[in-house]
Amino acid sequence: GGLPLDPWAHLMCLAKERHDYKVLCQSLPVWDDREVLEPLCVAVLYARAAYGFVARMGYFDSLASGARIFSLQKAYFDLADHPDVASHRRSFLDMMQLRPEDLICDMWMAGAMC
């Protein structure tokens, strides 16, 4: 973690990664696999539970900011693991339009038990 030793090299690397990402996205075929839609929706529900606080704070508003959460951000503060349980719970309930009594069990940290 921490600051790179050569900030200029770091900026050049970020520019190359941005360019490579753009090229990759332009080369992808159009997606129309409807069979995977239901499992994908279920996965989104679990992702909202796991990353609700991060999403509610707006850190997934773009692909670039989402990628930053799983790379640079983790070096000094892991937004998926470090926020408190109450923040995760509040964010999830808000995003899912649920009441607190609708939540039967929550487990926000790896290894936690309901």
Side-chain angles (χ1 to χ4, degrees), residues 31-39:
W31 183 73
D32 63 355
D33 186 356
R34 295 179 192 275
E35 288 181 25
V36 78
L37 186 58
E38 183 180 346

Side-chain angles (χ1 to χ4, degrees), residues 82-102:
H82 293 150
D84 62 291
V85 170
S87 296
H88 274 295
R89 185 179 298 121
R90 231 181 357 263
S91 299
F92 178 71
L93 292 171
D94 182 46
M95 287 172 39
M96 297 303 297
Q97 301 289 305
L98 296 172
R99 299 175 313 224
E101 56 270 17
D102 293 332

Side-chain angles (χ1 to χ4, degrees), residues 1-111:
L3 294 173
L5 296 177
D6 183 352
W8 181 251
H10 179 69
L11 291 174
M12 296 300 294
C13 186
L14 288 176
K16 181 183 179 332
E17 288 173 1
R18 215 173 293 123
H19 173 267
D20 291 348
Y21 176 75
K22 186 184 262 187
V23 168
L24 173 67
C25 287
Q26 291 170 347
S27 70
L28 294 174
V30 175
W31 183 73
D32 63 355
D33 186 356
R34 295 179 192 275
E35 288 181 25
V36 78
L37 186 58
E38 183 180 346
L40 185 61
C41 289
V42 171
V44 167
L45 174 67
Y46 284 101
R48 281 186 172 182
Y51 297 103
F53 175 75
V54 177
R56 213 60 184 144
M57 296 301 292
Y59 293 120
F60 284 150
D61 287 351
S62 72
L63 286 174
S65 64
R68 192 169 34 254
I69 293 300
F70 293 107
S71 58
L72 300 174
Q73 181 73 39
K74 280 188 137 192
Y76 56 94
F77 186 78
D78 188 345
L79 286 165
D81 288 339
H82 293 150
D84 62 291
V85 170
S87 296
H88 274 295
R89 185 179 298 121
R90 231 181 357 263
S91 299
F92 178 71
L93 292 171
D94 182 46
M95 287 172 39
M96 297 303 297
Q97 301 289 305
L98 296 172
R99 299 175 313 224
E101 56 270 17
D102 293 332
L103 189 61
I104 296 169
C105 175
D106 60 1
M107 181 175 63
W108 306 109
M109 308 301 170

